[in-house]
Amino acid sequence: MSTDLYGLASAVLQPGYDGVEVPDWMRRALGEGLGGVVLFARNRPDAEVVRRLRAESPDVVVAVDEEGGAVTRLEVEHGSSFPGNRALGVVDDVHLTERVARQIGRMLAEADITLDYAPSADVNANPDNPVIGVRSFGPDPDLVARHTAAYVRGVQGAGVAACAKHFPGHGDTTTDSHLALPTVHISREVLSERDLPPFRAAVEAGVQSIMSGHLLVPALDPERPATLSRTILTDLLRGELGYDGMLVTDAIEMRAVAAMHSPGEIAVRALAAGADAICAGLVTERGLAELRDAIVAAVREGVLPEERLAEAAARVRAVSRWYGAQAAAREKAVADADPGAGLEAARAALTTTGTARLTRPPLVVEVNTRLSQAVDPSMPTGLTAALAELLPGTERVRMTDEGTLPPLSDRPVVLAVHDAARHAWVRERVEQAVRVRPDTIVVDTGIPGPPQGAAHVATHGISRVSARAAAEWLTR
């Protein structure tokens, strides 16, 4: 019984590790039945890294956050080849969304990655949302639902499992769950009509996984965040929405839940609530052992039913089996390259006003706002590089949060901003620049504010192709 329990406890864990090399302890854990691994940009994920993981456990569920846009793990050095959800929602062409998602799935298939923690199925109902924003297809439930389904079809059509997140919806928050516990102050009726339709659409599309959000929704459960709430995970998701696939937690080291309990306690409570896989974004050998031991102890003490743990482990293994059965789909997707899909979508998503055109190298002033912690800190906005390719001699000045504008020379000036709609101080810097230089061009890579400047370009997301599309328009 003891060996079986340890095996079941290992099967439901999806930890991440630090560094480029796969640690020896991770190799040993895989050999002992660890069910999953989540990779981040710090691991430089590629086919070779995955090969090393699978050498220890061929059926391991290898997961990654590859949303496109600002959240990329495989293309973080130069920026994603695909615009994010907001850009796709602005275009509102479900066939194009499915094409883009299929190419994301194709990239993951080439790396032999099992599971994409995407798409974000959140309805960005609150324009002040600090963590979702352009990661959402938009503020309209029907639009988000149809593009969530298209994204799931695209990724899974390429033979890679998709994961709709962050259940029951992270769109109406003003708190980043990486930092604290957000509370969603809405009625049960609003939740059902606004936030749940995209998850229903994902379930109907056959999504292989759903990720819980670390959110307090008092209308559903006034005491426990969704990740730890049986009312939300079992009664609502399983019962009302009829979902029977793998349910994975958001990373348990996020402060929204980490401030409440120890990692082991979070894992036990999440499993008891109905979660099947525990994502621990960064652990050590000791930390992994403590998670496993806490789960085993909870079963032995009668806190966590062994049947519930066995059910969870079975759902994780079902995702692995599904992936194994999709080899032909992955082979076809790898052969079915559609290299223009990302740039086509980025171009279609541009929202522009004004007629200013760059004919000589500009000074690009990056008015940097803090991106959410879901975004890798090394993610480039890419605009300077894109303009430099077309106008050699383009220079960049970075302005830190709430700093003063640098002196604006007599060369053309481009302000690169993010989420001006959300940051009053960013709008103030834009106004200052336009007063000094009315010919200033503004490029907003987030949720844009009112158009200002001689030309205003909204890309609706950060990606290499979004930057390229903006640079092309400015030098047309």
Side-chain angles (χ1 to χ4, degrees), residues 303-326:
V303 175
L304 176 66
E306 184 173 353
E307 294 77 13
R308 170 77 274 273
L309 180 59
E311 177 186 55
R315 288 202 179 107
V316 174
R317 290 167 182 152
V319 170
S320 178
R321 285 196 304 273
W322 179 91
Y323 180 79
Q326 302 301 311

Side-chain angles (χ1 to χ4, degrees), residues 17-251:
Y17 60 88
D18 197 14
V20 176
E21 296 299 323
V22 180
D24 289 341
W25 61 264
M26 178 64 79
R27 293 175 184 269
R28 288 193 298 271
L30 287 166
E32 294 168 358
L34 182 64
V37 176
V38 56
L39 298 175
F40 292 87
R42 63 176 181 258
N43 308 126
R44 297 183 192 170
D46 58 19
E48 179 57 27
V49 171
V50 178
R51 186 194 66 77
R52 293 177 197 141
L53 297 171
R54 293 201 187 279
E56 306 297 334
S57 176
D59 298 328
V60 62
V61 172
V62 181
V64 69
D65 285 285
E66 193 65 39
E67 299 178 14
V71 180
T72 176
R73 307 307 187 210
L74 273 66
E75 296 191 292
V76 72
E77 185 176 354
H78 300 293
S80 178
S81 302
F82 311 98
N85 284 6
R86 179 72 173 214
L88 295 170
V90 167
V91 180
D92 195 14
D93 179 341
V94 292
H95 300 294
L96 184 57
T97 292
E98 187 169 343
R99 279 176 59 198
V100 167
R102 179 174 173 81
Q103 292 307 300
I104 290 174
R106 177 182 182 274
M107 179 172 64
L108 299 180
E110 286 186 307
D112 199 14
I113 289 169
T114 316
L115 173 64
D116 187 6
Y117 287 155
S120 169
D122 307 293
V123 178
N124 198 55
N126 192 324
D128 291 328
N129 196 311
V131 67
I132 301 301
V134 292
R135 297 169 66 199
S136 165
F137 291 110
D140 177 73
D142 291 337
L143 179 143
V144 176
R146 62 179 174 266
H147 286 276
T148 294
Y151 195 108
V152 169
R153 290 194 301 268
V155 171
Q156 294 192 171
V160 174
C163 179
K165 60 187 184 185
H166 307 80
F167 189 81
H170 206 320
D172 191 7
T173 65
T174 56
T175 301
D176 184 344
S177 52
H178 293 84
L179 307 175
L181 178 63
T183 299
V184 183
H185 297 286
I186 57 173
S187 68
R188 179 67 174 79
E189 291 71 27
V190 169
L191 182 91
S192 182
E193 294 173 5
R194 186 191 67 192
D195 296 279
L196 295 185
F199 292 99
R200 291 195 184 99
V203 172
E204 291 171 4
V207 72
Q208 287 293 307
S209 179
I210 289 179
M211 178 180 283
S212 66
H214 301 323
L215 313 159
L216 187 67
V217 188
L220 299 177
D221 189 329
E223 298 178 357
R224 289 168 292 274
T227 297
L228 310 180
S229 171
R230 185 170 180 83
T231 301
I232 294 174
L233 300 190
T234 298
D235 297 346
L236 178 58
L237 182 56
R238 303 290 190 199
E240 293 188 35
L241 271 65
Y243 181 63
D244 193 39
M246 188 184 79
L247 174 55
V248 61
T249 70
D250 209 343

Side-chain angles (χ1 to χ4, degrees), residues 256-287:
V257 290
M260 303 172 69
H261 306 289
S262 68
E265 183 72 11
I266 295 168
V268 169
R269 287 174 179 253
L271 289 164
D276 304 305
I278 307 300
C279 175
L282 180 60
V283 299
T284 60
E285 180 177 13
R286 179 178 177 181

Side-chain angles (χ1 to χ4, degrees), residues 410-431:
D410 59 356
R411 67 191 305 176
V413 173
V414 176
L415 253 60
V417 304
H418 185 76
D419 277 358
R422 228 171 35 87
H423 299 286
W425 73 268
V426 172
R427 296 193 297 275
E428 290 170 4
R429 298 303 178 274
V430 172
E431 291 168 1

